[in-house]
Amino acid sequence: MEIRDLTAADLDAVLDDRRRAFGPLSAEGERTWRELVAPMLPEGRYLGAFDGPRLVGAARINPYLQWWHGRPLSMGGVSSVTVSPEDRGRGVGRALVEAAVDRCAALGHVVSALYPATTPLYRSVGFEHAGGMTRITLPAEALRTLGRTGGQGGSGGQGGAAGLRRAGPDDAAELVALIGGVHAATRASGPLCYDERTWRLWLADEDDYCYLAGDGFVVYRFSDGDIEVDNLVAGSEATARALWSLVGSASSVAKSVHACVDPADPVLWLLRERSDDDVTVRRWMLRLIDLPAAVAGRGFPAGVSMETVVEVTDLRRPGNSGAWTLSVAGGSGSVTPSRTPPGAGPGTGTGEATRLTIGGASALFAGVPTATLRRSGRLTGGSPEIDDALDAAFACAAYMIDAF
Protein backbone atom coordinates (compact mmCIF):
# COMPACT_ATOMS: atom_id res chain seq x y z
CA MET A 1 0.00 0.00 0.00
CA GLU A 2 1.25 3.47 -0.93
CA ILE A 3 0.07 6.76 0.57
CA ARG A 4 0.48 9.81 -1.63
CA ASP A 5 -1.05 13.21 -2.33
CA LEU A 6 -4.27 13.12 -4.30
CA THR A 7 -4.64 14.97 -7.58
CA ALA A 8 -7.62 16.24 -9.53
CA ALA A 9 -7.55 13.00 -11.54
CA ASP A 10 -8.31 11.06 -8.33
CA LEU A 11 -11.41 12.99 -7.30
CA ASP A 12 -13.95 10.77 -9.06
CA ALA A 13 -12.59 7.74 -7.20
CA VAL A 14 -12.53 9.69 -3.91
CA LEU A 15 -16.12 10.75 -4.42
CA ASP A 16 -17.18 7.17 -5.14
CA ASP A 17 -15.58 5.96 -1.88
CA ARG A 18 -17.10 8.90 -0.03
CA ARG A 19 -20.57 7.92 -1.20
CA ARG A 20 -19.97 4.33 -0.14
CA ALA A 21 -18.76 5.49 3.29
CA PHE A 22 -21.22 8.29 4.10
CA GLY A 23 -24.10 7.86 1.67
CA PRO A 24 -25.11 9.70 -1.52
CA LEU A 25 -24.53 13.37 -2.20
CA SER A 26 -26.94 15.63 -4.04
CA ALA A 27 -25.77 17.27 -7.26
CA GLU A 28 -25.42 20.56 -5.37
CA GLY A 29 -23.56 18.81 -2.57
CA GLU A 30 -21.12 17.27 -5.03
CA ARG A 31 -20.49 20.63 -6.69
CA THR A 32 -19.79 22.28 -3.34
CA TRP A 33 -17.52 19.40 -2.29
CA ARG A 34 -15.43 19.74 -5.45
CA GLU A 35 -15.15 23.50 -4.98
CA LEU A 36 -14.07 22.96 -1.38
CA VAL A 37 -11.40 20.33 -1.97
CA ALA A 38 -9.91 21.41 -5.31
CA PRO A 39 -7.73 24.19 -3.83
CA MET A 40 -6.49 21.81 -1.12
CA LEU A 41 -4.94 19.35 -3.58
CA PRO A 42 -1.83 21.41 -4.49
CA GLU A 43 -1.41 22.26 -0.80
CA GLY A 44 -0.94 18.60 0.12
CA ARG A 45 -4.12 18.50 2.21
CA TYR A 46 -5.74 15.41 0.70
CA LEU A 47 -4.01 12.04 1.13
CA GLY A 48 -4.89 8.82 -0.67
CA ALA A 49 -4.01 5.21 0.06
CA PHE A 50 -3.46 3.11 -3.06
CA ASP A 51 -3.16 -0.59 -3.72
CA GLY A 52 -1.38 -0.41 -7.03
CA PRO A 53 -3.45 2.00 -9.15
CA ARG A 54 -6.62 1.47 -7.09
CA LEU A 55 -7.68 4.01 -4.44
CA VAL A 56 -8.53 2.19 -1.20
CA GLY A 57 -8.85 5.14 1.21
CA ALA A 58 -8.47 8.88 1.70
CA ALA A 59 -8.16 11.53 4.41
CA ARG A 60 -8.34 15.32 4.27
CA ILE A 61 -6.66 17.94 6.47
CA ASN A 62 -8.61 21.19 6.69
CA PRO A 63 -6.85 24.48 7.53
CA TYR A 64 -8.41 26.03 10.62
CA LEU A 65 -7.68 28.38 13.47
CA GLN A 66 -8.79 27.05 16.83
CA TRP A 67 -9.02 29.25 19.92
CA TRP A 68 -7.64 28.13 23.27
CA HIS A 69 -8.39 30.48 26.17
CA GLY A 70 -8.82 33.25 23.63
CA ARG A 71 -5.68 32.69 21.57
CA PRO A 72 -5.70 31.17 18.06
CA LEU A 73 -3.65 28.12 17.19
CA SER A 74 -3.11 26.58 13.77
CA MET A 75 -5.26 23.44 13.75
CA GLY A 76 -5.43 20.65 11.18
CA GLY A 77 -8.99 19.37 11.03
CA VAL A 78 -8.81 15.73 9.95
CA SER A 79 -11.96 14.74 8.08
CA SER A 80 -13.41 12.54 5.36
CA VAL A 81 -11.37 9.54 6.46
CA THR A 82 -12.79 6.87 4.17
CA VAL A 83 -11.81 3.28 3.39
CA SER A 84 -13.35 1.27 0.58
CA PRO A 85 -15.77 -1.26 2.11
CA GLU A 86 -13.93 -4.18 0.52
CA ASP A 87 -10.61 -2.99 2.00
CA ARG A 88 -11.65 -2.48 5.60
CA GLY A 89 -9.77 -4.45 8.23
CA ARG A 90 -6.41 -4.15 6.42
CA GLY A 91 -5.05 -1.27 8.50
CA VAL A 92 -5.74 1.32 5.80
CA GLY A 93 -7.51 3.71 8.17
CA ARG A 94 -4.71 3.67 10.73
CA ALA A 95 -2.06 4.22 8.07
CA LEU A 96 -4.00 7.19 6.70
CA VAL A 97 -4.46 8.78 10.14
CA GLU A 98 -0.78 8.32 10.98
CA ALA A 99 0.10 9.97 7.68
CA ALA A 100 -2.37 12.77 8.42
CA VAL A 101 -0.69 13.45 11.78
CA ASP A 102 2.70 13.68 10.07
CA ARG A 103 1.27 15.92 7.37
CA CYS A 104 -0.30 18.21 9.99
CA ALA A 105 3.20 18.76 11.34
CA ALA A 106 4.61 19.42 7.87
CA LEU A 107 1.84 21.97 7.23
CA GLY A 108 2.65 23.83 10.45
CA HIS A 109 -0.41 22.85 12.47
CA VAL A 110 0.39 22.64 16.18
CA VAL A 111 -2.82 20.78 17.11
CA SER A 112 -5.25 18.54 15.27
CA ALA A 113 -8.88 17.70 15.90
CA LEU A 114 -11.49 15.37 14.45
CA TYR A 115 -14.95 13.94 14.96
CA PRO A 116 -14.44 10.19 15.39
CA ALA A 117 -16.54 7.55 13.69
CA THR A 118 -14.73 5.09 15.96
CA THR A 119 -12.66 5.92 19.03
CA PRO A 120 -10.06 3.08 19.15
CA LEU A 121 -8.52 3.93 15.76
CA TYR A 122 -7.90 7.58 16.57
CA ARG A 123 -6.90 6.95 20.18
CA SER A 124 -4.22 4.53 18.97
CA VAL A 125 -2.64 7.39 17.00
CA GLY A 126 -2.63 9.80 19.96
CA PHE A 127 -6.01 11.54 19.73
CA GLU A 128 -8.14 11.76 22.86
CA HIS A 129 -11.66 12.92 23.67
CA ALA A 130 -11.47 16.59 24.48
CA GLY A 131 -14.75 18.42 23.99
CA GLY A 132 -18.20 18.37 22.48
CA MET A 133 -20.44 20.00 19.94
CA THR A 134 -23.59 20.85 21.88
CA ARG A 135 -26.82 21.03 19.88
CA ILE A 136 -29.85 22.59 21.54
CA THR A 137 -33.48 22.82 20.49
CA LEU A 138 -35.35 25.97 21.47
CA PRO A 139 -38.90 27.22 20.83
CA ALA A 140 -38.85 29.79 18.06
CA GLU A 141 -41.49 31.85 19.87
CA ALA A 142 -39.31 32.12 22.99
CA LEU A 143 -36.50 33.51 20.84
CA ARG A 144 -38.74 35.91 18.94
CA THR A 145 -39.40 37.97 22.05
CA LEU A 146 -35.78 38.30 23.20
CA GLY A 147 -35.22 41.48 21.24
CA ARG A 148 -38.06 43.19 23.09
CA THR A 149 -36.83 42.41 26.58
CA GLY A 150 -34.36 44.56 28.47
CA GLY A 151 -31.59 42.74 30.32
CA GLN A 152 -29.22 43.45 33.15
CA GLY A 153 -28.10 46.92 32.20
CA GLY A 154 -28.94 46.31 28.54
CA SER A 155 -31.37 48.13 26.31
CA GLY A 156 -32.54 45.16 24.26
CA GLY A 157 -33.77 46.42 20.94
CA GLN A 158 -34.67 45.05 17.54
CA GLY A 159 -32.28 43.86 14.85
CA GLY A 160 -32.06 47.26 13.21
CA ALA A 161 -30.95 48.84 16.46
CA ALA A 162 -28.07 46.39 16.69
CA GLY A 163 -26.92 47.29 13.20
CA LEU A 164 -27.69 43.95 11.60
CA ARG A 165 -27.23 43.68 7.86
CA ARG A 166 -27.33 40.91 5.29
CA ALA A 167 -23.97 39.34 4.45
CA GLY A 168 -22.57 37.47 1.44
CA PRO A 169 -19.29 36.15 0.03
CA ASP A 170 -17.68 39.59 -0.12
CA ASP A 171 -18.00 39.83 3.67
CA ALA A 172 -15.81 36.76 4.33
CA ALA A 173 -12.77 38.74 5.50
CA GLU A 174 -14.86 40.85 7.88
CA LEU A 175 -16.50 37.70 9.22
CA VAL A 176 -13.14 36.03 9.92
CA ALA A 177 -11.94 39.11 11.80
CA LEU A 178 -15.19 39.32 13.77
CA ILE A 179 -14.98 35.67 14.85
CA GLY A 180 -11.43 36.13 16.05
CA GLY A 181 -12.33 39.25 18.00
CA VAL A 182 -15.24 37.62 19.84
CA HIS A 183 -13.40 34.40 20.67
CA ALA A 184 -10.41 36.36 21.94
CA ALA A 185 -12.54 38.67 24.09
CA THR A 186 -14.55 35.79 25.58
CA ARG A 187 -11.43 33.62 26.12
CA ALA A 188 -13.10 30.80 24.23
CA SER A 189 -11.58 27.31 24.15
CA GLY A 190 -12.18 24.97 21.23
CA PRO A 191 -14.19 26.85 18.58
CA LEU A 192 -12.63 27.11 15.16
CA CYS A 193 -12.74 29.45 12.19
CA TYR A 194 -12.62 28.53 8.51
CA ASP A 195 -10.23 30.41 6.29
CA GLU A 196 -11.56 33.23 4.13
CA ARG A 197 -11.67 31.02 1.03
CA THR A 198 -13.96 28.50 2.73
CA TRP A 199 -16.19 31.19 4.21
CA ARG A 200 -16.69 32.67 0.76
CA LEU A 201 -17.92 29.27 -0.41
CA TRP A 202 -20.36 28.83 2.50
CA LEU A 203 -21.68 32.38 2.22
CA ALA A 204 -22.51 31.80 -1.45
CA ASP A 205 -25.03 29.07 -0.54
CA GLU A 206 -28.45 30.44 -1.51
CA ASP A 207 -30.19 28.28 1.09
CA ASP A 208 -28.24 29.88 3.96
CA TYR A 209 -29.05 33.31 5.37
CA CYS A 210 -26.31 35.32 7.04
CA TYR A 211 -26.59 38.54 9.04
CA LEU A 212 -23.70 40.56 10.48
CA ALA A 213 -23.52 42.96 13.39
CA GLY A 214 -20.55 44.83 14.78
CA ASP A 215 -19.72 42.05 17.22
CA GLY A 216 -21.67 39.05 16.03
CA PHE A 217 -23.24 37.11 13.18
CA VAL A 218 -25.71 34.35 12.43
CA VAL A 219 -26.00 31.82 9.62
CA TYR A 220 -29.22 29.82 9.48
CA ARG A 221 -31.47 27.89 7.10
CA PHE A 222 -34.93 26.34 7.02
CA SER A 223 -34.87 22.56 7.45
CA ASP A 224 -37.79 20.14 7.60
CA GLY A 225 -40.18 22.78 8.89
CA ASP A 226 -37.80 24.06 11.56
CA ILE A 227 -34.81 26.41 11.55
CA GLU A 228 -31.23 25.14 11.72
CA VAL A 229 -28.68 27.66 12.99
CA ASP A 230 -25.26 26.80 11.60
CA ASN A 231 -23.43 29.52 13.52
CA LEU A 232 -24.41 32.25 15.93
CA VAL A 233 -21.68 34.17 17.72
CA ALA A 234 -22.33 37.33 19.74
CA GLY A 235 -19.98 39.47 21.77
CA SER A 236 -22.60 41.44 23.72
CA GLU A 237 -26.07 41.10 25.19
CA ALA A 238 -27.62 43.50 22.69
CA THR A 239 -26.22 41.58 19.72
CA ALA A 240 -27.18 38.21 21.19
CA ARG A 241 -30.75 39.42 21.68
CA ALA A 242 -30.92 40.90 18.18
CA LEU A 243 -29.56 37.81 16.43
CA TRP A 244 -31.63 35.25 18.32
CA SER A 245 -34.81 37.31 17.97
CA LEU A 246 -34.13 37.62 14.23
CA VAL A 247 -34.03 33.83 14.00
CA GLY A 248 -37.13 33.52 16.19
CA SER A 249 -39.06 36.01 14.04
CA ALA A 250 -39.96 33.05 11.80
CA SER A 251 -41.98 31.49 14.64
CA SER A 252 -45.16 31.70 12.58
CA VAL A 253 -43.76 29.08 10.17
CA ALA A 254 -41.14 27.28 12.27
CA LYS A 255 -41.94 25.88 15.70
CA SER A 256 -38.39 24.94 16.77
CA VAL A 257 -34.86 26.24 16.31
CA HIS A 258 -31.90 23.86 16.42
CA ALA A 259 -28.45 25.33 17.02
CA CYS A 260 -24.93 24.26 17.92
CA VAL A 261 -23.74 26.52 20.73
CA ASP A 262 -21.26 27.08 23.51
CA PRO A 263 -22.57 24.94 26.43
CA ALA A 264 -22.64 28.21 28.40
CA ASP A 265 -24.12 30.26 25.57
CA PRO A 266 -25.79 33.42 26.87
CA VAL A 267 -29.04 32.55 25.10
CA LEU A 268 -29.64 29.96 27.82
CA TRP A 269 -29.59 32.77 30.38
CA LEU A 270 -31.58 35.22 28.23
CA LEU A 271 -34.59 32.92 27.86
CA ARG A 272 -37.51 33.93 30.06
CA GLU A 273 -38.27 30.32 30.95
CA ARG A 274 -35.76 27.48 31.23
CA SER A 275 -36.12 24.14 33.00
CA ASP A 276 -35.18 21.01 31.06
CA ASP A 277 -32.67 21.67 28.27
CA ASP A 278 -33.21 19.73 25.03
CA VAL A 279 -29.56 18.93 24.30
CA THR A 280 -27.50 16.43 22.34
CA VAL A 281 -23.69 16.34 22.34
CA ARG A 282 -21.39 15.06 19.61
CA ARG A 283 -17.89 14.32 20.88
CA TRP A 284 -14.63 15.38 19.23
CA MET A 285 -11.00 14.42 19.82
CA LEU A 286 -7.78 16.45 19.99
CA ARG A 287 -4.11 15.68 19.43
CA LEU A 288 -1.12 17.85 20.23
CA ILE A 289 1.09 17.87 17.15
CA ASP A 290 3.82 20.20 18.44
CA LEU A 291 3.73 20.23 22.24
CA PRO A 292 6.03 23.24 22.86
CA ALA A 293 4.35 25.38 20.18
CA ALA A 294 0.85 24.46 21.36
CA VAL A 295 1.54 25.40 24.98
CA ALA A 296 3.36 28.59 23.96
CA GLY A 297 0.44 29.66 21.75
CA ARG A 298 -2.35 28.78 24.20
CA GLY A 299 -3.84 31.34 26.53
CA PHE A 300 -4.00 30.66 30.28
CA PRO A 301 -5.84 32.32 33.18
CA ALA A 302 -3.96 35.48 34.11
CA GLY A 303 -4.17 34.74 37.83
CA VAL A 304 -2.50 31.33 37.64
CA SER A 305 1.23 30.91 38.26
CA MET A 306 2.82 27.46 38.46
CA GLU A 307 5.83 25.41 37.44
CA THR A 308 6.36 21.67 37.43
CA VAL A 309 7.94 18.84 35.46
CA VAL A 310 5.79 16.67 33.22
CA GLU A 311 6.93 13.60 31.34
CA VAL A 312 5.14 12.93 28.06
CA THR A 313 5.23 9.77 25.95
CA ASP A 314 4.44 10.12 22.24
CA LEU A 315 5.44 7.11 20.16
CA ARG A 316 4.32 8.66 16.88
CA ARG A 317 6.00 12.03 17.32
CA PRO A 318 9.10 11.50 19.49
CA GLY A 319 9.82 15.23 19.55
CA ASN A 320 6.94 15.56 22.02
CA SER A 321 8.35 12.86 24.31
CA GLY A 322 10.52 13.42 27.32
CA ALA A 323 10.66 15.46 30.51
CA TRP A 324 9.47 19.04 30.18
CA THR A 325 9.40 21.96 32.59
CA LEU A 326 5.91 23.40 32.31
CA SER A 327 5.65 27.03 33.37
CA VAL A 328 2.52 29.21 33.46
CA ALA A 329 2.45 32.88 34.48
CA GLY A 330 0.82 36.12 33.36
CA GLY A 331 -1.62 34.42 31.01
CA SER A 332 1.06 32.58 29.01
CA GLY A 333 2.73 29.19 29.22
CA SER A 334 5.79 27.31 28.01
CA VAL A 335 7.38 23.90 28.08
CA THR A 336 11.14 23.57 27.85
CA PRO A 337 13.33 20.46 28.09
CA SER A 338 13.82 19.69 31.76
CA ARG A 339 17.27 19.38 33.29
CA THR A 340 15.74 17.61 36.27
CA PRO A 341 16.55 13.88 36.34
CA PRO A 342 13.69 11.73 35.04
CA GLY A 343 11.21 10.84 37.75
CA ALA A 344 11.82 13.97 39.83
CA GLY A 345 10.06 17.28 39.52
CA PRO A 346 10.27 20.59 41.35
CA GLY A 347 7.18 21.53 43.28
CA THR A 348 5.56 18.10 42.99
CA GLY A 349 5.45 17.55 46.72
CA THR A 350 6.54 13.92 46.38
CA GLY A 351 9.49 14.72 44.10
CA GLU A 352 7.88 12.62 41.35
CA ALA A 353 7.08 14.18 37.97
CA THR A 354 3.62 13.98 36.47
CA ARG A 355 3.59 11.43 33.63
CA LEU A 356 1.20 11.63 30.69
CA THR A 357 0.55 9.77 27.48
CA ILE A 358 0.24 12.08 24.48
CA GLY A 359 -3.49 11.41 24.61
CA GLY A 360 -3.53 12.40 28.27
CA ALA A 361 -1.53 15.55 27.55
CA SER A 362 -3.94 16.45 24.74
CA ALA A 363 -6.95 15.96 27.00
CA LEU A 364 -5.33 18.00 29.81
CA PHE A 365 -4.63 20.76 27.28
CA ALA A 366 -8.38 20.78 26.55
CA GLY A 367 -9.35 21.09 30.19
CA VAL A 368 -10.18 17.47 31.04
CA PRO A 369 -9.71 17.28 34.84
CA THR A 370 -6.63 15.54 36.21
CA ALA A 371 -8.88 13.35 38.39
CA THR A 372 -10.47 11.99 35.22
CA LEU A 373 -7.12 11.46 33.53
CA ARG A 374 -5.65 9.79 36.62
CA ARG A 375 -8.56 7.41 37.09
CA SER A 376 -8.55 6.48 33.38
CA GLY A 377 -4.81 5.72 33.37
CA ARG A 378 -3.72 8.70 31.28
CA LEU A 379 -1.90 10.50 34.09
CA THR A 380 0.32 9.07 36.83
CA GLY A 381 2.88 10.39 39.30
CA GLY A 382 2.84 13.95 40.54
CA SER A 383 0.84 14.92 43.61
CA PRO A 384 -2.58 16.28 44.61
CA GLU A 385 -1.08 19.77 44.83
CA ILE A 386 0.28 19.61 41.30
CA ASP A 387 -3.01 18.16 40.05
CA ASP A 388 -4.75 21.23 41.46
CA ALA A 389 -2.24 23.53 39.78
CA LEU A 390 -2.62 21.78 36.43
CA ASP A 391 -6.40 21.95 36.68
CA ALA A 392 -6.26 25.67 37.44
CA ALA A 393 -3.90 26.34 34.52
CA PHE A 394 -5.76 24.37 31.84
CA ALA A 395 -9.31 24.88 33.12
CA CYS A 396 -11.85 25.28 30.32
CA ALA A 397 -14.99 23.72 28.88
CA ALA A 398 -13.81 22.96 25.34
CA TYR A 399 -16.50 23.14 22.66
CA MET A 400 -16.99 23.52 18.94
CA ILE A 401 -20.00 24.76 17.00
CA ASP A 402 -18.83 23.53 13.58
CA ALA A 403 -18.67 20.03 12.20
CA PHE A 404 -16.18 19.10 9.49
Side-chain angles (χ1 to χ4, degrees), residues 230-288:
D230 285 342
N231 293 91
L232 194 154
V233 172
S236 65
E237 178 194 357
T239 297
R241 288 184 179 279
L243 292 173
W244 283 112
S245 64
L246 173 72
V247 172
S249 67
S251 61
S252 61
V253 295
K255 179 180 179 181
S256 298
V257 173
H258 311 284
C260 293
V261 297
D262 176 349
D265 194 285
V267 71
L268 298 172
W269 279 262
L270 292 174
L271 293 170
R272 185 172 184 273
E273 296 287 353
R274 179 187 177 195
S275 52
D276 297 328
D277 293 337
D278 187 349
V279 173
T280 59
V281 180
R282 181 181 177 189
R283 306 304 304 180
W284 51 269
M285 303 177 80
L286 183 77
R287 193 197 202 283
L288 299 177

Side-chain angles (χ1 to χ4, degrees), residues 175 178-183 186 188 191-192 199 211-219 229-236 239-240 243-244 260-262 265-266 399 401-402:
L175 188 58
L178 184 156
I179 291 169
V182 174
H183 289 333
T186 58
L192 60 86
W199 266 118
Y211 287 83
L212 279 176
D215 64 342
F217 78 100
V218 63
V219 181
V229 173
D230 285 342
N231 293 91
L232 194 154
V233 172
S236 65
T239 297
L243 292 173
W244 283 112
C260 293
V261 297
D262 176 349
D265 194 285
Y399 72 95
I401 59 175
D402 294 284

